[in-house]
């Protein structure tokens, strides 16, 4: 396969830079505590300074993997497949989710929403970032909005994002892990004063699992 042919398959979503895949417990948001198979796709230029998977940013560091192989392996473990990153919407998610849905599994995505929404999703977790805002189309389709609280200014940003999502979207505030001790009391007070929000924690880190 030539480099050009390989790039065409990547552009079409038939090859994806696969960073890692693992069966674990969903630690965050609405589905926390649920067993699921995670597929982490490399490639992200959103560049959050507090990102805990910076090794996912450069797609060329991760093998371009056939979506058919990703699907065949994933469905052995779970009927809930969570696609995360990196930023998975950097790539065309259509072929991956089409094959997953053909196998009868649920498809979930964790995304900043910074790129065009592709793929067929049963659950969309939108976690917007200030440095590269979501596209307008994803706000109406998001099932949950998860805003990361790193400092006090993030509460204002969270409210701005909450105004854009659909009325059925579940709203979460989640402390950035390194700031959790400082920000958690503020989040608790904020949610008690603004009960449209819920608290999300990275429970998988407390459980010491992936």
């Amino acid at each position: 396969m030539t480099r050009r042919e390989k790039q065409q398959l990547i552009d079409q979503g038939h090859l994806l830079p696969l960073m890692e895949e693992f069966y674990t417990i969903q630690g965050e948001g609405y589905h926390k505590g649920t067993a699921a198979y995670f597929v982490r796709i490399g490639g992200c230029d959103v560049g959050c300074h507090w990102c805990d998977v910076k090794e996912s940013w450069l797609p060329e560091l991760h093998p371009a993997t056939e979506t058919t192989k990703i699907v065949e392996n994933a469905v052995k473990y779970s009927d809930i497949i969570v696609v995360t990153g990196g930023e998975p919407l950097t790539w065309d998610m259509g072929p991956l989710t089409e094959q997953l849905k053909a196998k009868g599994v649920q498809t979930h995505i964790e995304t900043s929403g910074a790129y065009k929404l592709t793929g067929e999703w049963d659950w969309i977790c939108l976690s917007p970032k200030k440095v590269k805002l979501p596209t307008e189309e994803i706000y109406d389709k998001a099932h949950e909005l998860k805003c990361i609280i790193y400092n006090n200014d993030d509460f204002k940003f969270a409210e701005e994002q909450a105004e854009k999502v659909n009325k059925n979207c579940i709203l979460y505030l989640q402390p950035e892990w390194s700031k959790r001790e400082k920000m958690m009391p503020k989040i608790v007070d904020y949610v008690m004063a603004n009960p449209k929000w819920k608290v999300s924690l990275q429970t998988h880190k407390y459980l010491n699992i992936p």
Side-chain angles (χ1 to χ4, degrees):
M1 184 188 302
T2 67
R3 180 176 297 182
R4 182 178 179 181
E5 290 172 336
K6 181 179 179 181
Q7 188 59 52
Q8 286 179 334
L9 291 173
I10 292 173
D11 293 342
Q12 295 167 358
H14 297 298
L15 290 176
L16 293 170
L18 179 63
M19 177 181 169
E20 60 179 344
E21 49 187 339
F22 50 92
Y23 185 44
T24 189
I25 302 296
Q26 171 62 272
E28 305 176 12
Y30 182 81
H31 293 283
K32 65 181 179 296
T34 303
Y37 194 77
F38 280 70
V39 175
R40 188 181 301 281
I41 304 299
C44 182
D45 65 357
V46 178
C48 304
H49 63 90
W50 39 257
C51 177
D52 56 4
V53 281
K54 289 186 172 69
E55 59 272 27
S56 71
W57 289 4
L58 297 177
E60 58 268 26
L61 297 181
H62 310 294
T65 306
E66 295 176 11
T67 55
T68 52
K69 292 183 178 179
I70 296 174
V71 170
E72 287 173 5
N73 193 48
V75 298
K76 295 176 184 177
Y77 294 89
S78 180
D79 60 1
I80 298 176
I81 311 301
V82 181
V83 181
T84 187
E87 174 44 68
L89 291 181
T90 302
W91 318 101
D92 184 352
M93 291 286 107
L96 178 64
T97 59
E98 181 180 352
Q99 294 171 58
L100 287 170
K101 296 306 294 180
K103 298 288 187 179
V105 301
Q106 294 183 44
T107 54
H108 297 192
I109 188 172
E110 299 177 342
T111 176
S112 69
Y115 291 95
K116 178 183 177 182
L117 179 62
T118 56
E120 182 181 351
W121 305 103
D122 296 296
W123 193 265
I124 298 173
C125 173
L126 174 62
S127 185
K129 306 300 187 292
K130 296 176 183 176
V131 292
K132 196 162 187 151
L133 294 174
T135 63
E136 289 299 320
E137 64 173 336
I138 201 169
Y139 287 113
D140 188 53
K141 297 180 180 180
H143 298 91
E144 69 178 284
L145 175 72
K146 182 175 66 184
C147 293
I148 308 302
I149 304 299
Y150 182 84
N151 56 39
N152 291 335
D153 291 339
D154 291 329
F155 290 106
K156 179 182 177 182
F157 177 70
E159 290 292 354
E160 292 170 350
Q161 296 301 295
E163 290 179 2
K164 296 185 176 184
V165 295
N166 64 84
K167 62 182 178 61
N168 295 318
C169 187
I170 305 169
L171 307 179
Y172 288 101
L173 299 176
Q174 177 173 297
E176 195 279 322
W177 182 251
S178 70
K179 298 291 184 179
R180 65 190 183 282
E181 292 185 7
K182 177 181 178 181
M183 300 310 298
M184 182 50 70
K186 297 181 179 183
I187 291 174
V188 169
D189 289 344
Y190 194 90
V191 170
M192 291 177 70
N194 303 273
K196 68 180 181 181
W197 291 96
K198 299 177 184 294
V199 176
S200 175
L201 297 173
Q202 291 180 293
T203 59
H204 56 292
K205 292 188 176 181
Y206 290 100
L207 295 171
N208 196 30
I209 59 176

